Structures are given as C-alpha cells and as structure tokens.
C-alpha cells in the first residue's frame, strides 16, 4: 500500500508538471501512464477493502442466527461490565468479542484441562465451560467403557450423602475444590477479583454437572462399580471370568485399584495396577448376588458365544464366565443334520479347560432354567448371548496361554 502511494506521488511530482524549458524524454510519457495506472489501482484497492468491510459487517449483523443476537442482548449488566474490564486489560479485545458460534466451536475443541483453565478466566466463560454438552463427549470418550447405570446411581447417592461437596467456604477448600487445586490450574480454585465490585470471590463447581463427575473420576477420589476380567492378576481360578468390583482411578499410573467384596470367610480383596483393557461396565444391570433372568435360551444354537453366571457356593457373588454352545452327545456336529436346537437340553462348553475336566462342560434346561449345580461343582446361573463381535474378540484376547486343568 505504501509502495503504491510513494510511486504515484513521486511520478506525479516529476512528470505531471514538467519544466517548460526542457522537453520530456521519450520514456517520460510511459512513466506518466504508469502513475495513472498505479493511481487507478490504489483507488480500486481502497474501494474493494471498504466493500469487503461492509459485507463482513452485514454478515455478522444479519447472518448470525437471531437466537445468538437475542442472547447477546440479554447479557446482564454485570456480564457487560466484566467484558468491559477484560477489554481494558487486553487492550480493547477479548475472546468474548468472538461471535457466539465461533466461541462455542473453540470451546468444543478444548481438552478437559483447557476447559478448566478457560473456566478460571471470568464468570461468563465459566458458565460456558461447565456446560454439560461440552463435558458429555469427554466423559463418553474416556469413561464410557467402564461407566454404566450402576456407577451413575452410586454418584447420585454420593452427592446426596455429601451436600456440601461443591461448597467452597473461606479458609481451607473442601471436597472437590481441594482436588482441583492439586490436579488443575490454580486459577480455577483460588479467589478471583470481581471486575465490577472489586471484591474477591471464590468459584464454586456445580456438583450435579457432568464436569463435576468427570473430575471426581479423574482425580481418583470416587469409587465406582464396574467389572474386572481375570481378577486377582489373572489367578488361574478366575481365567476367562469377569467379576464385579469397586474401582478408583490412579492418575499417576493410568491404572485402577479394584476392591472385591467379601464373600464366605474371605475378607475384602484389593488388586492394584489394573489396566483399562481388563475393565468394562457391567453387562447387565443385575446385582452380583441375584440371578440374571435369561431371555435368550430359545435362541441358542451350537457355536453361539455366551456368558453364564457361576459362583462357588451360595455365599459367593456371581461372576460371568465365557463359553460356547456345543452339540449334544447324540449329534455328530454335522450342520446339515444337527437338531440340537430342537432339544430342551443346551450343552455349554468351556474350551479353556482340558477335555475330561469337570469344568469342561455343563448342561442347562432351555425351558425351565434356574440356578443349577451343587457344592462340589458350583452353581450356574443366568445366561446372556453375545451378539457383538467386539465382545467376543475381547474374551479371545484374554485367552490363557496354557490349557487349564
């Protein structure tokens, strides 16, 4: 822009009014035409720039949805004053000057730590950053594999039993706010100056929000129910099984601590260093002490993959064990002549055990199946059929390296 201006002015001074005593050189007329061309381009550039600014102004005023405009017009006086204070600190420009849709897009792309940091900037951003719709995808992405309805109920009970979880009184911070001061930016949990009243205020975290639940899980202070594959570090007595436990997360090692409930004469058993790969949300919303009502018995065919409840005795909780549906002794396994699906007896096989082992197979009644078994071989409970390849593949990845006796 400055170059165009310099060339135009300089050439006009030299050649637009030449001295009358000396004729112009032959190339002077070409330079004169060149200056006129630059002048035309300069005016055109200025005109286009003005036109572009006008179009942008029309776009932001008229194209942005009416809902956004109404929301901005309804800002409280305190929010406008806060924005004005931020503008003064940042030289007249802040993130709040972004259009509503643009700001929302930025917040949706922030990781959890970024949202926590942004929430510590001001009240307006904090109200946006704690929104459930921003934290829902983070919760689903990281915790969706291990969190189920039972964990949600436990969290609601936890909130009801600690009504002051989100309170943050003067003095030593309590509850989740103390955890935030350790694991998250200090700007979130320390007192802030109100730009309107010049008073120091403490931020409070909405305890019923998804953000609050996410941070409680992330900091490892909330125990939640889930299920653990091959419990007790893959003990031979629990291979290809999945048992209920209470878990809490260790952010330093990115693993879990599992606490198995007491049963019989055994006290609470605790296992540390459980990786994500050995965890899942409960497959059914049934207590480990209750019989699962089977709804798939009439659909079972040889070759189907199943999970079945099993417990050592009546005092033990149920665990889920992996198996497949087999053929009756009277069937040779030929698919063209197999009639096993017409029989009331269903054969269940557990191929992780050697042929001849008492744990290798069992039978259940298709029509009148309840808990079956004895004190010597244990008790078999409800059955669920595995329809998803993901579930089947997960069991196969846990297959023992040696056949069990």
């Amino acid at each position: 822009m400055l170059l165009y201006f310099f060339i135009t002015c300089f050439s006009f001074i030299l050649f637009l009014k030449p001295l009358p005593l000396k004729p112009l050189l032959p190339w002077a007329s070409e330079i004169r035409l060149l200056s006129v061309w630059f002048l035309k381009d300069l005016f055109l550039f200025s005109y286009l720039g003005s036109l572009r600014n006008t179009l942008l102004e029309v776009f932001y005023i008229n194209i942005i949805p009416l809902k956004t405009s109404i929301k901005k017009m309804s800002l409280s006086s305190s929010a406008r004053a806060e924005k004005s204070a931020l503008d003064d600190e940042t030289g007249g420009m802040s993130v709040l000057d972004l259009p509503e849709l643009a700001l929302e897009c930025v917040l949706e792309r922030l990781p959890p730590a970024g949202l926590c940091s942004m929430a510590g900037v001001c009240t307006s951003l904090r109200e946006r950053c704690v929104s459930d719709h921003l934290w829902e995808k983070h919760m689903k992405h990281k915790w969706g594999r291990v969190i189920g309805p039972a964990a949600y109920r436990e969290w609601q009970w936890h909130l009801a039993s600690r009504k002051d979880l989100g309170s943050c009184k003067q003095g030593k911070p309590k509850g989740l706010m103390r955890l935030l001061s350790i694991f998250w930016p200090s700007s979130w949990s320390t007192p802030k100056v109100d730009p309107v009243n010049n008073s120091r205020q403490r931020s409070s975290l909405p305890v019923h929000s998804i953000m609050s639940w996410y941070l409680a899980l992330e900091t490892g202070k909330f125990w939640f129910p889930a299920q653990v594959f091959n419990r007790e570090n893959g003990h031979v007595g629990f291979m290809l099984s999945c048992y209920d436990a209470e878990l809490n997360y260790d952010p330093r090692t990115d693993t879990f601590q599992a606490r198995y409930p007491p049963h019989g004469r055994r006290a609470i058993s605790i296992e540390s260093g459980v990786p994500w790969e050995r965890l899942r949300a409960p497959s059914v919303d049934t207590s480990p002490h209750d019989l699962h009502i089977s709804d798939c018995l009439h659909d079972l065919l040889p070759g189907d993959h199943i999970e079945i409840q099993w417990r050592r005795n009546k005092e033990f909780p149920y665990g889920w064990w992996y198996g497949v549906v087999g053929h009756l002794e009277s069937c040779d396994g030929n698919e063209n002549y197999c009639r096993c699906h017409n029989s009331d007896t269903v054969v269940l096989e557990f191929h992780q055990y050697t042929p001849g082992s008492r744990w290798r197979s069992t039978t259940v009644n298709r029509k009148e199946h309840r808990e079956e078994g004895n004190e010597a071989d244990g008790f078999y409970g409800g059955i669920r059929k595995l329809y998803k390849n993901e579930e089947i593949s997960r069991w196969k990845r846990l297959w023992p390296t040696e056949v069990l006796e």
Side-chain angles (χ1 to χ4, degrees), residues 68 71-72 75 79 82 95-101 103-104 107-108 115 118-119 122-135 211:
T68 302
K71 185 174 181 180
K72 286 186 176 181
L75 285 174
E82 185 179 62
V95 70
L96 294 177
D97 292 311
L98 289 174
E100 190 75 14
L101 294 179
L103 178 57
E104 192 70 18
L107 296 179
E108 286 178 353
L115 283 175
M118 189 70 79
C122 65
T123 303
S124 297
L125 285 175
R126 179 162 59 253
E127 291 174 354
R128 290 176 170 86
C129 290
V130 301
S131 260
D132 283 351
H133 79 277
L134 292 177
W135 286 90
M211 176 185 181

Side-chain angles (χ1 to χ4, degrees), residues 12 20 43 55 86 162 168 175 207 229 236 274 276 305 313 316 342 372 380 384 388 401:
F12 264 76
F43 289 158
L55 291 176
L86 287 175
R162 296 186 59 188
C168 197
V207 295
F229 291 96
V236 66
V274 181
W276 286 87
H305 301 262
N313 57 51
F316 280 54
N342 294 327
E372 302 177 9
Y380 295 89
R384 60 180 296 262
K388 298 180 180 180
T401 55

Side-chain angles (χ1 to χ4, degrees), residues 14-15 18-19 22-26 28-29 32:
L14 291 179
F15 304 110
L19 294 174
K22 293 183 181 180
L24 292 175
L25 295 176
S29 58
R32 181 183 299 176

Side-chain angles (χ1 to χ4, degrees), residues 79-122:
R80 288 196 296 269
E82 185 179 62
K83 178 182 179 300
S84 176
L86 287 175
D87 289 347
D88 294 340
E89 294 179 0
T90 57
M93 186 68 179
S94 74
V95 70
L96 294 177
D97 292 311
L98 289 174
E100 190 75 14
L101 294 179
L103 178 57
E104 192 70 18
C105 186
V106 170
L107 296 179
E108 286 178 353
R109 283 163 173 75
L110 288 178
L115 283 175
C116 286
S117 297
M118 189 70 79
V121 175
C122 65

Side-chain angles (χ1 to χ4, degrees), residues 8 11-12 31-41:
T8 303
S11 59
F12 264 76
I31 295 297
R32 181 183 299 176
L33 293 176
L34 181 62
S35 12
V36 173
W37 181 84
F38 274 118
L39 182 61
K40 180 188 68 172
D41 188 78

